[in-house]
Amino acid sequence: MTELLARTVSVAKQGNILVATVDNPPVNALSHSVRAGLIEAVKALEGDAAARAMIIVCEGRTFIAGADIHEFKKPMVAPLLGEVIDTLDAATKPIIAAIHGTALGGGLEVALACSYRIALDGAKVGLPEVKLGILPGSGGTVRLPRLAGVEQALAMISEGGQIPARDAREKGIVDEVVSGDLRSAAVAFAAKVVADGGKVRRTTDLPVPSFDPAALEASRAALAKKYKGFKAPLVAVDLIKMVTETPVAEAIALEYKTCKELLVSPQSKALRHIFAAEREALKIDGVDAEVKPRDIKKVAIVGPGTMGRGIASCFVNIGIPVTLIGLTDEGLASAVKAIGKIYEGSVKRGSLTAEEMERRMALLTTTTAYDGISDVDLVIEAVTEQLDVKKEVFAKLDAVLRDDAIIATNTSFLDIEELAATSKNATRIAGMHFFNPANVMKLLENVRAAKTAPDVLATTTALGKRLGKVPVMVGRSEGFVANRMLSKRTREAQFLLEDGATPQQVDRVLTAFGFPIGPFALADLAGMDIMAAARAARVARMSPREQQCNIVDRLVAAGRLGQKSSAGYYVYDDNRKASHDPAVDELLDAHRRERGFTARAISDEEILERCLFAMVNEAARILDEGAAARPGDIDVIWTNGFGFPTYLGGPMFMPTRSACRRSRRRSTNMRASLAISISSRPR
């Protein structure tokens, strides 16, 4: 082979086949040098009379995985991706894209502009731009429907999912799936194309396959429901419809125009902020990136309750054996049965095979003794939220574990320093706060104590990623970040009831804002007895008004425990459908009279501002105390933990609103605090 170019794209010659190799670690993003290099490679192909075809292959773990997101905030420098695509499309000799890892976004658009595509078995392709609030802008929406059909293309573009190589082959996106050495297979494929006459195939020359126009409207309705509040998925329907009715050149121009408009939209800015913040959150403040995480091969979990079961599922799902420790054999048997039922549901839905269920269940063992876990690498305690109980567990673990085994607590409110102080080796103590249901919720609040070793912190972060979670490191703080902010929103919602709002009104305003569930419906779901117990544990640290705002205690005294008793803030039918109950109005009226409140009309604007500002003010205090490292970490926690709309970017990023009508930008660099008075009453 003779080297012709030496940049992020190099070109070498193998017989009469040119091999263009992209090498732009870590994911071969379409940076300026890659774009320029691909154009130069095509020029080299066209200028070499002896060259009959070219393959595009990538070094590293993946094919071109998309645009360089760092360039989004800067003026783009020519050549733009559209110029690269046009150059590939206009080539007079066949070009073959050789895909491994993932071909995503602009990477797939590059491949679609080639004459042929081959993929390594196990590779995946997709157009995930919608997840950043944008859509393909370099011909993806024009070419993909011509290969895969309108409905399949719309599904991929509007939801941003990835499909494996074999599925892509069946749908006509990929021409051949290969195993073994991809470069050699691609050269052989190119040689075969040359031997067959060297035909150039342009996807843009293909017609759009016939489709049912009603399917587009059905997709629009389904997307509006599934992605409520998101703009780009619905624009995708309009774009695909346009493509089916418009000449290719005009359609490509309209697609690019739409992409540019979406790129500067508030939603895209917010979604790109979350995308970047999730990656930034993986950087642990004060821990060098070179610190290696420990190898976790075996785990024990203390506490077979709802949370412990969910955490156990997380680990066996990724093939890590788990020992579940409980007080009784009966309790453990119940836990194993509950975990089995979760998997049985997945088998019935077709998302899990019976064989895989059996494999996972085989990784789970149970015991009532601690002496059988001396070989585990990590223990997570998930027992009741009582400090003395947890301290007792820590003492038992200290007695049996290796010195290098990590002990993590799943506590959501208790002081991690008090727990760490009970251990003979405080450097191995950390928090891993899962959210219920642990096997479903994406957020993992990892908690650092004062003496936690750097490699323990690195381990909990790496393990979170391995579990498929979104890990965020937080510091010592009652309720850490998520629950601490939630408690302030809950408190403000209670105060709103005292001032004259109704549970239905507060829930309606916050769900209209974008939360998946309102605070009072959430309380009914969690259970009023649970809420009352949490309140009792914190009452000594509450302000006088909060201490006296005992609406939750009144509901419990009336036997209204939420959905579990068919009555809480709402009354529930046999299908757990909620409806208004006048008895709650009477209970609230009685509370107001006893406390000296006069009910007044509360506007939707006031409800929204008071609930949001309560959260944001507390977040500012959290940042000021150093309990969170960055404002973006708080945004990641709230979008992944409590359903704060990602298209608003999180509570620290979004513009503050007044009933969603006025807006003013809140700085994301708010270390000091926000002096916002959200109620004139003492709090």
Side-chain angles (χ1 to χ4, degrees):
M1 290 190 177
T2 304
E3 194 75 17
L4 299 180
L5 292 170
R7 280 180 284 186
T8 53
V9 180
S10 61
V11 177
K13 196 169 184 181
Q14 187 166 330
N16 60 358
I17 309 297
L18 292 191
V19 179
T21 303
V22 178
D23 187 7
N24 186 31
V27 294
N28 293 312
L30 283 161
S31 306
H32 172 262
S33 63
V34 174
R35 300 194 301 272
L38 286 173
I39 288 179
E40 289 299 316
V42 177
K43 287 181 179 178
L45 172 66
E46 299 285 20
D48 187 340
R52 301 289 305 279
M54 182 172 77
I55 68 168
I56 298 175
V57 68
C58 294
E59 292 287 356
R61 65 178 188 267
T62 185
F63 189 72
I64 299 167
D68 185 345
I69 195 169
H70 299 295
E71 293 186 348
F72 280 13
K73 296 181 180 180
K74 307 172 185 175
M76 293 293 284
V77 179
L80 304 181
L81 180 56
E83 297 174 60
V84 177
I85 300 297
D86 289 345
T87 302
L88 292 167
D89 187 71
T92 61
K93 300 175 185 180
I95 300 175
I96 298 92
I99 299 168
H100 76 292
T102 55
L104 301 177
L108 180 56
E109 288 181 301
V110 165
L112 294 176
C114 296
S115 289
Y116 304 90
R117 289 153 294 282
I118 74 167
L120 197 62
D121 198 4
K124 293 183 178 181
V125 302
L127 293 171
E129 289 91 340
V130 71
K131 295 181 179 180
L132 297 180
I134 57 177
L135 292 171
S138 299
T141 60
V142 177
R143 291 182 173 85
L144 189 60
R146 289 171 157 79
L147 293 172
V150 168
E151 292 184 43
Q152 175 63 38
L154 178 57
M156 291 177 64
I157 292 167
S158 64
E159 301 198 51
Q162 302 174 23
I163 64 171
R166 292 191 177 276
D167 287 354
R169 171 67 184 89
E170 290 177 9
K171 299 179 192 316
I173 303 170
V174 166
D175 297 291
E176 187 173 297
V177 177
V178 300
S179 300
D181 183 72
L182 178 61
R183 187 183 299 259
S184 298
V187 170
F189 184 94
K192 183 179 177 182
V193 170
V194 170
D196 290 342
K199 181 181 177 182
V200 172
R201 295 189 320 177
R202 293 184 176 86
T203 305
T204 47
D205 290 339
L206 300 174
V208 176
S210 60
F211 67 99
D212 180 3
L216 291 181
E217 293 312 308
S219 293
R220 187 191 305 277
L223 290 166
K225 183 177 181 180
K226 185 174 182 179
Y227 298 104
K228 183 180 178 181
F230 288 84
K231 181 180 179 182
L234 297 182
V235 175
V237 181
D238 297 331
L239 207 54
I240 290 291
K241 185 174 186 296
M242 178 275 295
V243 165
T244 66
E245 302 168 342
T246 309
V248 167
E250 185 181 347
I252 288 175
L254 288 171
E255 176 204 60
Y256 180 58
K257 178 175 181 289
T258 301
C259 179
K260 286 202 302 181
E261 290 171 350
L262 289 172
L263 187 61
V264 297
S265 69
Q267 284 202 3
S268 179
K269 291 176 182 178
L271 290 166
R272 296 196 322 261
H273 161 71
I274 289 296
F275 178 87
E278 287 185 359
R279 281 145 187 79
E280 190 72 13
L282 298 175
K283 300 175 183 177
I284 308 169
D285 204 26
V287 176
D288 194 285
E290 300 303 313
V291 173
K292 300 297 183 185
R294 301 183 189 182
D295 191 13
I296 303 299
K297 296 179 179 178
K298 192 172 182 181
V299 170
I301 295 167
V302 185
T306 301
M307 186 60 77
R309 300 167 190 174
I311 297 172
S313 297
C314 293
F315 283 95
V316 299
N317 287 350
I318 62 169
I320 294 180
V322 171
T323 301
L324 189 58
I325 303 174
L327 295 175
T328 66
D329 290 331
E330 292 77 13
L332 289 166
S334 177
V336 172
K337 184 178 179 180
I339 293 170
K341 288 188 72 173
I342 293 173
Y343 291 138
E344 286 171 4
S346 298
V347 171
K348 287 180 181 178
R349 291 190 298 271
S351 59
L352 191 71
T353 65
E355 293 76 17
E356 177 62 14
M357 172 184 168
E358 186 176 338
R359 185 191 70 80
R360 294 183 186 184
M361 293 301 294
L363 292 171
L364 182 65
T365 58
T366 63
T367 181
T368 58
Y370 283 73
D371 52 10
I373 62 167
S374 59
D375 61 338
V376 302
D377 306 299
L378 165 72
V379 180
I380 300 175
E381 71 77 14
V383 300
T384 185
E385 285 286 273
Q386 295 180 25
L387 190 60
D388 57 342
V389 175
K390 290 184 183 289
K391 285 182 176 181
E392 184 180 343
V393 168
F394 269 51
K396 290 179 179 179
L397 293 173
D398 260 345
V400 299
L401 292 176
R402 302 191 319 262
D403 288 341
D404 63 342
I406 298 170
I407 302 176
T409 173
N410 184 57
T411 184
S412 56
F413 268 99
L414 298 178
D415 188 348
I416 192 171
E417 296 296 351
E418 286 198 52
L419 290 171
T422 68
S423 175
K424 63 184 180 183
N425 180 9
T427 65
R428 67 173 175 183
I429 306 301
M432 293 183 72
H433 178 211
F434 291 78
F435 287 73
N436 194 30
N439 56 308
V440 174
M441 296 297 288
K442 299 289 287 184
L443 177 63
L444 175 63
E445 269 187 328
N446 287 324
V447 188
R448 65 194 307 163
K451 295 182 179 179
T452 309
D455 66 335
V456 171
L457 298 175
T459 301
T460 59
T461 296
L463 193 54
K465 284 186 63 180
R466 191 176 167 191
L467 292 169
K469 304 296 184 186
V470 179
V472 183
M473 188 65 65
V474 300
R476 177 188 188 182
S477 176
E478 184 183 55
F480 308 122
V481 174
N483 283 333
R484 178 172 165 180
M485 289 172 63
L486 179 66
S487 70
K488 297 303 183 286
R489 191 190 77 174
T490 300
R491 180 187 72 176
E492 200 61 40
Q494 294 278 332
F495 291 169
L496 281 161
L497 295 186
E498 289 187 327
D499 290 338
T502 66
Q504 302 95 288
Q505 184 189 12
V506 175
D507 281 353
R508 173 180 56 76
V509 169
L510 290 179
T511 54
F513 172 78
F515 285 107
I517 189 171
F520 298 113
L522 180 62
D524 276 358
L525 181 63
M528 217 59 63
D529 50 342
I530 304 297
M531 303 292 288
R535 171 179 161 78
R538 298 178 55 248
V539 71
R541 297 185 295 279
M542 292 178 179
S543 66
R545 181 179 178 184
E546 193 174 2
Q547 288 177 343
Q548 295 166 20
C549 185
N550 62 349
I551 296 169
V552 169
D553 300 329
R554 288 172 178 265
L555 289 166
V556 172
R560 305 180 70 95
L561 305 183
Q563 289 191 18
K564 67 179 70 175
S565 67
S566 299
Y569 287 104
Y570 301 92
V571 66
Y572 295 86
D573 63 18
D574 291 342
N575 296 317
R576 295 202 171 189
K577 182 180 179 181
S579 59
H580 169 243
D581 190 347
V584 176
D585 298 338
E586 295 172 8
L587 184 148
L588 292 174
D589 284 341
H591 174 81
R592 294 183 190 113
R593 285 194 301 271
E594 291 180 21
R595 292 276 293 111
F597 286 91
T598 300
R600 60 181 176 84
I602 307 288
S603 69
D604 290 358
E605 177 180 357
E606 180 179 346
I607 289 171
L608 187 59
E609 286 194 340
R610 284 174 60 174
C611 288
L612 292 182
F613 290 164
M615 293 165 51
V616 174
N617 281 347
E618 195 62 24
R621 296 184 189 101
I622 286 169
L623 286 170
D624 197 44
E625 295 168 11
R630 296 164 284 258
D633 289 0
I634 295 173
D635 290 332
V636 171
I637 285 170
W638 265 81
T639 52
N640 285 279
F642 291 119
F644 195 102
T646 52
Y647 55 77
L648 293 177
M652 307 306 283
F653 176 86
M654 68 160 210
T656 58
R657 296 166 167 219
S658 295
C660 303
R661 291 194 301 270
R662 298 197 311 253
S663 69
R664 54 187 179 274
R665 176 66 60 184
R666 178 171 303 286
S667 170
T668 59
N669 186 22
M670 43 184 15
R671 278 273 170 191
S673 64
L674 298 172
I676 301 171
S677 175
I678 53 181
S679 173
S680 59
R681 294 185 180 274
R683 318 197 81 70

